[in-house]
């Protein structure tokens, strides 16, 4: 019995998040497939990630979604979870996790805090404790290998009063494909991450889970330009009272050439990676992804090029604007750029209003 206990403890230590600068590790050998289930939990977030029989759950929807999430996991063969990640303490992310932890043996639980003044977070902490686990607050650069994939923590990089900005940012790499989850992180914290990791870090991800259900406060222009995803997933409830997704981020995503998949239109969305390409399927057979303007056809998993964007500079203020910006200069003060980097090289700075 002592030998078995020692072996279990050793295994747990090996699976614990390890600190290392992102992208400095060697990717594991790719075999099989990685699946990401963007579960339709209405105006909430929940994603199940499977790689060769190992499972990670990111968020759990609202309290009312608990049974739906448990049922989805059971239907897809989940018996235990390597890790549960609560991106932040708001109910639409943590609410369903207590039910998950009550049913499935879990080895690691991550959240940006161990306490929060809500019953649903208290229940989440209670069932974590029932499994003889402690909530781990991960640090930027920590990573966890599972099933041939790697989960890396990229943020938050600072402390914030707003729980949205405390959202744990998770990157999943499998072969040459990558998936990014940002919770409800808003523009300021996104920009702080860009500054923290510096220009040397390659932010590109094939699939971006669009921040904060498509709110205008997230997925800022600077952040989107660094990530440059091919596909975006918006987890959002049909006819929600917040008006999500907002027009501003939808416009930015369209200009960046991102093909959008929305749970309010498609239901639960499944992404599949063989380590080289990403393809999609979805629950509803009566809808289709939203293709960026300037493209003519779209097949799940197909590639597309981003439409050209003309940037407008202000000769006097040296600010660079998108054509849709409400603060465009007078015609006589405008200079046009077709290349963002060329404008920056000439001393222009991104407008805080339209580019975040």
């Amino acid at each position: 019995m002592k030998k078995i206990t020692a072996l279990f403890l050793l295994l747990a230590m090996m699976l614990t998040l390890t600190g290392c600068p992102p992208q400095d590790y060697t990717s594991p050998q790719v075999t099989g497939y990685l699946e990401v289930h963007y579960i339709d939990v209405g105006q909430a977030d929940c994603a199940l990630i499977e790689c060769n029989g190992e499972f990670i759950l990111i968020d759990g929807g609202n309290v009312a979604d608990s049974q739906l999430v448990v049922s989805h996991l059971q239907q897809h063969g989940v018996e235990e979870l390597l890790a549960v990640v609560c991106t932040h303490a708001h109910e639409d992310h943590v609410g369903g996790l207590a039910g998950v932890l009550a049913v499935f043996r879990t080895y690691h639980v991550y959240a940006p805090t161990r306490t929060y003044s809500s019953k649903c977070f208290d229940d989440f902490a209670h069932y974590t404790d029932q499994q003889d686990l402690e909530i781990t607050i991960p640090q930027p650069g920590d990573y966890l290998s599972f099933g041939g994939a790697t989960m890396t923590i990229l943020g938050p990089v600072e402390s914030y009063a707003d729980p949205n900005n405390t959202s744990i940012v998770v990157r999943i790499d499998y072969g040459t494909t990558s998936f990014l989850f940002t919770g409800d992180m808003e523009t300021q914290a996104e920009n702080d991450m860009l500054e923290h990791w510096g220009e040397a870090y390659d932010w590109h991800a094939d699939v971006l889970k669009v921040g904060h259900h498509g709110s205008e406060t997230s997925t800022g222009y600077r952040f989107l330009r660094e990530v440059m995803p091919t596909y975006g997933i918006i987890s959002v409830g049909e006819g929600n009272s917040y008006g999500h997704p907002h027009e501003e981020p939808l416009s930015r995503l369209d200009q960046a050439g991102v093909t959008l998949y929305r749970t309010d239109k498609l239901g639960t969305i499944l992404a599949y990676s063989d380590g080289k390409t990403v393809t999609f399927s979805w629950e509803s057979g009566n809808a289709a992804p939203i293709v960026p303007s300037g493209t003519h056809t779209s097949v799940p998993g197909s590639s597309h090029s981003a439409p050209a964007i003309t940037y407008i500079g202000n000769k006097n203020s040296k600010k660079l604007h998108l054509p849709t910006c409400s603060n465009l200069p007078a015609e006589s003060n405008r200079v046009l750029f077709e290349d963002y980097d060329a404008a920056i090289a000439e001393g222009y700075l991104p407008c805080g209003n339209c580019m975040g």
Side-chain angles (χ1 to χ4, degrees):
M1 180 61 69
K2 289 183 178 180
K3 289 183 178 179
I4 294 174
T5 301
L7 181 60
F8 178 84
L9 290 173
L10 177 61
L11 178 62
M13 290 174 64
M14 291 172 64
L15 292 173
T16 301
L17 279 173
T18 305
C20 177
Q23 300 182 348
D24 280 358
Y25 56 79
T26 301
S27 297
Q29 184 70 30
V30 172
T31 57
Y33 290 85
L34 179 139
E35 293 185 16
V36 182
H37 301 215
Y38 299 90
I39 302 173
D40 181 11
V41 284
Q43 187 62 24
D45 263 342
C46 182
L48 174 68
I49 303 160
E50 177 188 3
C51 191
N52 296 317
E54 294 193 273
F55 297 89
I56 289 175
L57 186 69
I58 300 177
D59 290 331
N62 285 296
V63 172
D65 300 314
S66 178
Q67 187 53 50
L68 182 155
V69 175
V70 168
S71 177
H72 184 93
L73 269 58
Q74 290 174 332
Q75 290 172 10
H76 289 85
V78 178
E79 296 181 353
E80 60 182 22
L81 292 162
L82 177 61
V84 165
V85 180
C86 167
T87 60
H88 65 294
H90 284 158
E91 186 196 341
D92 57 328
H93 293 255
V94 70
L97 291 180
V100 169
L101 290 168
V103 174
F104 299 98
R105 176 73 177 102
T106 303
Y107 292 92
H108 304 286
V109 176
Y110 306 110
T113 181
R114 294 189 178 95
T115 59
Y116 189 73
S117 57
S118 72
K119 184 179 185 304
C120 61
F121 192 89
D122 287 345
D123 290 342
F124 162 67
H126 169 75
Y127 282 100
T128 299
D129 183 67
Q130 287 290 98
Q131 295 218 31
D132 293 325
L133 297 172
E134 183 178 33
I135 294 172
T136 297
I137 301 175
Q139 299 301 308
D142 288 348
Y143 72 95
L144 174 68
S145 295
F146 68 106
T150 304
M151 178 181 80
T152 307
I153 306 299
L154 298 178
V157 298
E158 295 184 13
S159 298
Y160 301 96
D162 183 347
N164 286 336
N165 281 329
T166 69
S167 292
I168 295 174
V169 175
V170 173
R171 178 186 178 95
I172 304 291
D173 287 282
Y174 185 63
T176 60
T177 63
S178 51
F179 300 76
L180 194 60
F181 300 81
T182 63
D184 284 356
M185 181 173 280
E186 299 187 348
T187 304
Q188 180 57 56
E190 290 173 351
N191 292 341
D192 289 342
M193 282 199 305
L194 297 181
E195 297 293 334
H196 176 85
W197 293 114
E199 296 181 359
Y201 185 75
D202 181 7
W203 280 93
H204 170 70
D206 294 282
V207 185
L208 170 67
K209 202 289 295 179
V210 176
H212 203 178
H213 320 286
S215 167
E216 63 185 348
T217 61
S218 299
T219 319
Y221 183 83
R222 285 181 60 196
F223 184 70
L224 182 58
R225 185 180 178 278
E226 291 296 325
V227 177
M228 285 304 292
T230 304
Y231 307 102
I233 309 293
I234 302 180
S235 183
V236 64
E238 184 176 6
N240 66 86
S241 60
Y242 302 97
H244 294 158
H246 292 150
E247 283 301 318
E248 293 86 346
L250 289 179
S251 177
R252 292 193 289 267
L253 289 158
D254 180 73
Q255 290 170 351
V258 179
T259 295
L260 287 179
Y261 296 80
R262 292 170 46 168
T263 59
D264 62 333
K265 305 294 185 182
L266 305 174
T268 294
I269 299 161
L270 276 71
Y272 306 88
S273 169
D274 61 1
K276 296 178 181 179
T277 59
V278 180
T279 57
F280 293 86
S281 67
W282 51 88
E283 193 172 59
S284 171
N286 301 317
I290 300 169
V291 182
S293 56
T295 59
H296 303 288
T297 59
S298 178
V299 177
S302 65
S303 60
H304 59 271
S305 58
I309 301 174
T310 299
Y311 302 92
I312 299 175
N314 185 323
K315 294 178 182 178
N316 294 332
S317 68
K318 289 291 185 177
K319 291 292 185 182
L320 190 66
H321 304 267
L322 293 175
T324 55
C325 184
S326 59
N327 293 333
L328 290 178
E331 292 283 349
S332 59
N333 290 331
R334 295 184 184 184
V335 57
L336 302 183
F337 295 93
E338 292 186 357
D339 185 87
Y340 176 90
D341 292 327
I344 298 301
E346 290 193 25
Y348 285 83
L349 297 175
C351 167
N353 180 57
C354 63
M355 297 196 192

